[in-house]
Amino acid sequence: MLDEVRRVMRVKHYAIRTERAYVDWIRRFIQANGRRHPRELGGREVEAFLSLLAVRGRVAASTQNQALAALLFLYREVLKTELPWMDKVVRAKRPERVPVVLSVAEVRALLAVLEGRPWLLASLLYGSGMRLMEVLRLRIKDVDFGRGEITVREGKGARDRRTVLPASLVEPLQRQVDRARALHAVDLREGFGQAWLPFALARKYPNAGREPGWQYLFPSERRSADPRDGVVRRHHLDDQVVGRALKGAARRVGLVKPVSAHTLRHSFATHLLEAGYDIRTVQELLGHKDVATTQIYTHVLNRGAGGVLSPLDRQ
């Protein structure tokens, strides 16, 4: 049955990461119910499983929502069964947290101790506001040097958008394009060089995968078999490379704030608002569905605690 889940997800073009997460949740649901087939189970068992995650597992609200999405996909898309409305689920509490934001000086210090590809990736994360996987999935053709724009394809919510290409990164990115093209040329000489194409493009344009524009801007050092079809290809760089580099850089400069790729995205949005850009512009650059999501950064507009003079300092 899990093979059927994978098949349906690939027909519907779900990302490989989403596929793995959904399959894992479905497997855990089956195991939690004595390995009974999901057709023998229903809304009551789903409610119990989700409640158990919140009560015993103490999972975050986002984790519980992902488990729910996986089980809804299983029943609606694979088993073709509608689950009853589950109003008895114990909901995990969604914490209200402000985003971790670095100051401009902290970002500069962080970037100063990075070099090579990690520096370029971190600079692009902060300079464009993209999510980490959006940066790693960039193809050569997505960077428009003439217009100073980057096109994000199939971002969160399956939406395309454009964001800013920092002028200071034009030359480093052009060199990265040259490196990616050179690596592609090696692959072609050795009988490889076919990039993975989204949706039905591989069937519609069978030769497009070998074209330079479709190659990943940040390719992996090694070729590997694609888990979707077993074809050996050169995929994009592993996201853990970036995470390790950022954590190491944060330690070297003595930052006590948690630093990740998303921290740089938060800093991008906050610094734009501080510079006077309107919230709708920032919303579009970030790819948020609505302004309400972007409003988590508006604490910088009224300055909050940072705009208050403590009575201790009045003495």
Side-chain angles (χ1 to χ4, degrees):
M1 191 200 66
L2 293 179
D3 287 339
E4 179 63 11
V5 172
R6 294 186 183 94
R7 187 193 69 78
V8 175
M9 292 194 76
R10 291 173 189 181
V11 167
K12 293 181 175 295
H13 315 300
Y14 278 72
I16 190 68
R17 284 169 164 254
T18 306
E19 175 188 311
R20 288 169 176 165
Y22 278 23
V23 167
D24 183 61
W25 280 118
I26 293 169
R27 182 184 289 112
R28 291 172 64 176
F29 173 66
I30 294 171
Q31 291 172 343
N33 286 277
R35 296 184 180 277
R36 293 162 63 195
H37 195 285
R39 288 191 187 278
E40 302 174 14
L41 308 172
R44 185 176 61 182
E45 288 79 11
V46 173
E47 279 186 342
F49 178 72
L50 295 173
S51 297
L52 195 65
L53 290 177
V55 177
R56 288 192 187 176
R58 298 177 182 269
V59 300
S62 58
T63 303
Q64 189 187 46
N65 287 337
Q66 186 186 65
L68 173 60
L71 296 178
L72 288 176
F73 181 89
L74 168 66
Y75 279 94
R76 289 175 179 172
E77 305 296 339
V78 180
L79 301 179
K80 304 300 181 183
T81 301
E82 280 293 332
L83 290 173
W85 180 253
M86 294 172 286
D87 55 0
K88 295 182 181 179
V89 174
V90 177
R91 291 289 182 179
K93 293 183 179 179
R94 183 177 294 276
E96 295 184 7
R97 297 193 179 101
V98 295
V100 176
V101 176
L102 303 179
S103 68
V104 173
E106 287 171 331
V107 172
R108 288 175 178 168
L110 189 74
L111 296 178
V113 298
L114 291 170
E115 57 185 18
R117 191 165 50 180
W119 169 84
L120 180 55
L121 284 161
S123 299
L124 194 54
L125 287 165
Y126 172 64
S128 66
M130 287 187 285
R131 300 174 179 90
L132 175 56
M133 294 309 299
E134 291 173 344
V135 171
L136 295 179
R137 289 171 179 161
L138 285 175
R139 311 289 180 127
I140 291 176
K141 66 181 182 60
D142 295 331
V143 182
D144 190 332
F145 292 105
R147 292 179 58 87
E149 294 178 341
I150 296 174
T151 302
V152 179
R153 305 286 183 185
E154 289 293 311
K156 191 172 182 179
R159 295 187 297 271
D160 291 358
R161 73 178 190 278
R162 289 188 176 90
T163 189
V164 61
L165 168 60
S168 58
L169 294 184
V170 168
E171 288 188 14
L173 281 173
Q174 287 175 333
R175 291 194 295 269
Q176 180 61 32
V177 168
D178 292 340
R179 284 192 288 269
R181 291 174 68 105
L183 203 56
H184 177 52
V186 171
D187 288 342
L188 289 175
R189 285 198 301 270
E190 296 180 359
F192 299 96
Q194 181 77 30
W196 178 80
L197 296 184
F199 312 127
L201 285 175
R203 293 192 300 272
K204 189 174 182 180
Y205 305 107
N207 296 320
R210 295 182 179 275
E211 295 176 0
W214 278 103
Q215 307 310 307
Y216 287 112
L217 179 61
F218 295 100
S220 173
E221 296 292 340
R222 299 177 182 177
R223 295 185 291 260
S224 60
D226 193 317
R228 286 164 289 212
D229 55 18
V231 176
V232 175
R233 297 186 177 96
R234 191 177 296 277
H235 302 281
H236 58 68
L237 191 68
D238 193 315
D239 61 325
Q240 294 184 8
V241 173
V242 184
R244 287 194 296 265
L246 288 174
K247 284 181 172 58
R251 283 195 302 270
R252 289 198 295 277
V253 299
L255 287 179
V256 296
K257 297 176 183 176
V259 176
S260 67
H262 225 65
T263 307
L264 296 177
R265 175 175 162 87
H266 291 325
S267 302
F268 164 86
T270 302
H271 295 168
L272 284 184
L273 289 172
E274 286 178 329
Y277 289 93
D278 68 275
I279 193 169
R280 290 196 177 275
T281 297
V282 177
Q283 173 203 343
E284 292 193 7
L285 293 175
L286 292 174
H288 287 163
K289 187 176 181 180
D290 50 52
V291 171
T293 307
T294 316
Q295 285 177 340
I296 62 171
Y297 303 108
T298 56
H299 64 284
V300 302
L301 299 180
N302 58 17
R303 302 304 299 168
V308 175
L309 181 64
S310 169
L312 181 66
D313 296 331
R314 294 180 185 273
Q315 299 177 9

